[in-house]
């Protein structure tokens, strides 16, 4: 959001951007705050997706205002809310402890099911604060703080229409999923950076300091693996609902000096 330009740098770029840029680098250059200017904008949008019973909407806001003769602040906020499309049509009905109400296997007549329409909804919140400071004509510092939070209610994956539904009978329709549990996921990313440039006359000295924190979680239904590899165990083993929880965390700190 609030992108000034995108630069595509072809070929190896390791000298300036490290070993991860051997095939080239794509740079998203965000707009800098403008010192001495007060401005702002608000936009929004509404859309509908075929197969969904809900409404997609998004909103973006930007404000820029001076904090002094050599200081300014620019703030962005964005929210995206997309209604889901995929229907989970044969979810196990669970008790208060999260255990299937009739835990005797997929084909047992006593097994109870429920459903969730448009389960793969997604929401994204994004915010950024940028603050430049030019204490002298030869020095400039820019502080950036960025945070984004994503969440989804389920996977955007479907069973091919016409596939037999052994759980509830009949066949799967369009935009339907055969998992026996919901599969939500979430992610949060934070970034803080401070860039300082000093004109020394004979050269330019640049300091770049950054810290990132990236975490995420997800839940997946792995029951299908047992159904394909061990059908006898899957269909008759009590409470066969194989949940897989994934989580990850990545933090990094980088300091670069360039003359």
């Amino acid at each position: 959001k609030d992108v000034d330009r995108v630069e595509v740098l072809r070929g190896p770029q390791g000298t300036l951007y490290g070993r991860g840029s051997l095939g080239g680098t794509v740079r998203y250059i965000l707009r800098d705050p403008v010192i001495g200017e007060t401005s702002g904008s608000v936009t929004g949008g509404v859309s509908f997706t075929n197969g969904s019973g809900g409404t997609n909407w998004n909103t973006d806001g930007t404000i820029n205002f001076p904090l002094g003769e050599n200081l300014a602040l620019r703030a962005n906020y964005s929210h995206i809310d997309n209604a889901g499309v995929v229907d989970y049509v044969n979810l196990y009905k669970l008790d208060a402890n999260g255990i299937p109400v009739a835990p005797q296997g997929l084909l047992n007549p006593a097994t109870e099911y429920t459903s969730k329409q448009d389960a793969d909804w997604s929401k994204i919140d994004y915010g950024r604060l940028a603050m430049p400071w030019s204490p002298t004509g030869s020095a400039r510092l820019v502080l950036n703080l960025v945070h984004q939070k994503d969440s989804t209610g389920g996977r955007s994956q479907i069973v091919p229409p016409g596939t037999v539904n052994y759980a509830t009978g009949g066949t799967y329709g369009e935009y339907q999923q055969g998992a026996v549990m919901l599969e939500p996921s979430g992610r949060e990313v934070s970034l803080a950076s401070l860039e300082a440039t000093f004109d020394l006359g004979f050269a330019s000295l640049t300091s770049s300091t950054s810290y990132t924190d990236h975490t995420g979680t997800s839940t997946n239904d792995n029951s299908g693996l047992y159904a394909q590899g061990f059908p006898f165990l899957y269909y008759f083993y009590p409470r066969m609902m194989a949940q897989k929880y994934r989580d990850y965390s990545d933090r990094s700190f980088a300091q670069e000096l360039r003359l």
Side-chain angles (χ1 to χ4, degrees):
K1 301 297 183 177
D2 203 30
V3 175
D4 180 61
R5 67 187 185 279
V6 178
E7 296 180 354
V8 180
L9 311 178
R10 298 181 179 180
Q13 302 293 328
T15 302
L16 296 181
Y17 300 105
R19 64 182 181 178
S21 56
L22 291 178
T25 297
V26 178
R27 300 183 66 208
Y28 294 86
I29 311 299
L30 303 181
R31 289 191 176 95
D32 282 336
V34 181
I35 295 177
E37 177 183 297
T38 300
S39 62
S41 66
V42 177
T43 61
V46 177
S47 65
F48 304 92
T49 304
N50 184 41
S52 174
T55 304
N56 313 315
W57 64 276
N58 65 85
T59 182
D60 300 286
T62 300
I63 187 170
N64 185 107
F65 55 90
L67 297 176
E69 189 173 317
N70 300 314
L71 188 65
L73 176 68
R74 191 175 186 90
N76 308 113
Y77 172 74
S78 174
H79 178 77
I80 298 175
D81 192 325
N82 288 331
V85 176
V86 176
D87 302 330
Y88 282 62
V89 294
N90 47 248
L91 297 170
Y92 277 154
K93 186 175 288 187
L94 307 178
D95 61 18
N97 297 316
I99 298 175
V101 172
Q104 298 302 319
L106 186 69
L107 297 182
N108 190 282
T111 304
E112 297 184 47
Y113 296 95
T114 184
S115 63
K116 180 71 174 180
Q117 305 297 308
D118 301 336
D120 62 326
W121 54 262
S122 63
K123 296 182 181 180
I124 301 175
D125 285 286
Y126 165 84
R128 171 188 176 233
L129 291 174
M131 184 181 299
W133 181 41
S134 300
T136 67
S138 59
R140 176 178 170 83
L141 292 84
V142 180
L143 174 67
N144 274 283
L145 301 174
V146 181
H147 183 76
Q148 180 168 319
K149 181 178 181 180
D150 308 340
S151 58
T152 63
R155 284 194 295 168
S156 296
Q157 178 180 345
I158 64 171
V159 175
T163 302
V164 177
N165 185 339
Y166 293 102
T168 58
T171 60
Y172 288 98
E174 196 173 21
Y175 307 127
Q176 291 186 348
Q177 162 70 273
V180 295
M181 70 183 75
L182 290 175
E183 301 170 294
S185 65
R187 182 181 72 138
E188 287 197 57
V189 184
S190 298
L191 165 67
S193 69
L194 178 64
E195 297 182 11
T197 304
F198 305 94
D199 185 357
L200 304 180
F202 67 94
S204 177
L205 176 64
T206 301
S207 170
S208 177
T209 309
S210 64
Y211 174 78
T212 60
D213 189 337
H214 183 193
T215 59
T217 60
S218 65
T219 302
N220 293 106
D221 178 12
N222 272 20
S223 306
L225 296 178
Y226 293 89
Q228 293 178 359
F230 309 95
F232 178 81
L233 292 176
Y234 176 73
Y235 291 122
F236 298 100
Y237 189 80
R239 290 199 306 272
M240 178 46 69
M241 185 174 71
Q243 294 176 315
K244 183 169 185 178
Y245 299 98
R246 295 181 175 92
D247 64 83
Y248 56 88
S249 178
D250 179 31
R251 296 177 178 87
S252 65
F253 175 81
Q255 172 62 54
E256 179 183 359
L257 291 173
R258 186 186 309 162
L259 183 65

